[in-house]
Amino acid sequence: AGVLFVRNETIQFANLRAEQIFGYSPGSLSGLPIARLHVSENDYQAFRALAQEKLLLPGNGYEEELCLQRADGSSFWAWLRGSELFAGEPGAGQILVVSDISQRKASEAQIHSLAFFDPLTNLPNRRLLLDRMQQTLATYLRTAGHGALLYIDLDNFKTLNDMYGHGVGDMLLQKVGERLKD
């Protein structure tokens, strides 16, 4: 894990792993404002406010999954844990521990995609449809709203699949999927 020591919103020290995670050469993180590691000033200010709020709670620490920025400007998902160097003395500085969790986040996104989208057409699947229908019905029951459901069927698809093979059937489904997205 990367370790940073921050005082007065400036990085005082970064270990080699932190420099590797953020893509900086050895020694070049020291002296930089900690805001430089965030994707935007707004993201930094929101995170800073949250961290300060959590530092006031018992336990003297916080942890968060957030998007941070490398030296080349690319962003990545990180798990960050921070605490004051000395509890109750914010001027003493903070220790931050950072881990790159981009691969885990990508795996989670892939699992979500496989669970809720058809791999051939990349359209939402039956599971996602049922989930969204339940949410919509619950909303309509609360608000006494109305809605409609459109059902689309491909006539003679089984015949086309049997006559020309599954490859042609798959191509047809992909084309229909593209047109539905458009």
Side-chain angles (χ1 to χ4, degrees):
V3 178
L4 303 165
F5 171 57
V6 178
R7 186 179 327 149
N8 299 325
E9 299 188 33
T10 303
I11 300 168
Q12 304 296 316
F13 169 80
N15 72 351
L16 182 59
R17 182 65 187 128
E19 292 168 336
Q20 291 169 343
I21 289 172
F22 288 101
Y24 284 85
S25 58
S28 61
L29 268 175
S30 295
L32 293 179
I34 190 68
R36 172 100 38 103
L37 304 181
H38 290 262
V39 175
S40 70
E41 181 65 26
N42 288 343
D43 285 354
Y44 171 65
Q45 292 303 329
F47 173 75
R48 184 174 173 256
L50 180 68
Q52 286 176 339
E53 182 180 308
K54 288 184 177 182
L55 284 171
L56 295 174
L57 300 173
N60 179 39
Y62 56 89
E63 53 185 73
E64 196 74 33
E65 287 184 3
L66 68 162
C67 210
L68 294 176
Q69 183 171 276
R70 291 192 172 91
D72 64 6
S74 64
S75 60
F76 68 100
W77 278 100
W79 177 76
L80 185 132
R81 186 167 62 189
S83 64
E84 291 179 332
L85 189 59
F86 299 110
E89 293 183 41
Q94 294 181 9
I95 299 292
L96 306 176
V97 177
V98 182
S99 297
D100 185 340
I101 59 169
S102 299
Q103 191 170 11
R104 190 193 90 209
K105 285 291 200 177
S107 296
E108 288 172 359
Q110 185 178 14
I111 289 168
H112 179 270
S113 179
L114 290 171
F116 294 111
F117 292 88
D118 176 73
L120 181 65
T121 62
N122 204 29
L123 290 173
N125 65 14
R126 182 183 307 261
R127 178 182 285 165
L128 187 58
L129 170 71
L130 294 175
D131 178 65
R132 294 303 189 267
M133 282 181 57
Q134 281 182 327
Q135 290 176 14
T136 302
L137 286 173
T139 301
Y140 286 155
L141 288 173
R142 280 193 313 272
T143 62
H146 299 330
L149 177 65
L150 177 65
Y151 179 81
I152 299 174
D153 188 24
L154 296 176
D155 289 339
N156 303 316
F157 179 72
K158 184 182 178 343
T159 306
L160 178 123
N161 226 13
D162 291 343
M163 285 180 65
Y164 298 103
H166 292 284
V168 171
D170 287 352
M171 285 184 356
L172 175 64
L173 289 174
Q174 288 172 328
K175 289 292 182 193
V176 168
E178 288 171 14
R179 288 185 180 185
L180 285 172
K181 286 179 203 173
D182 288 345

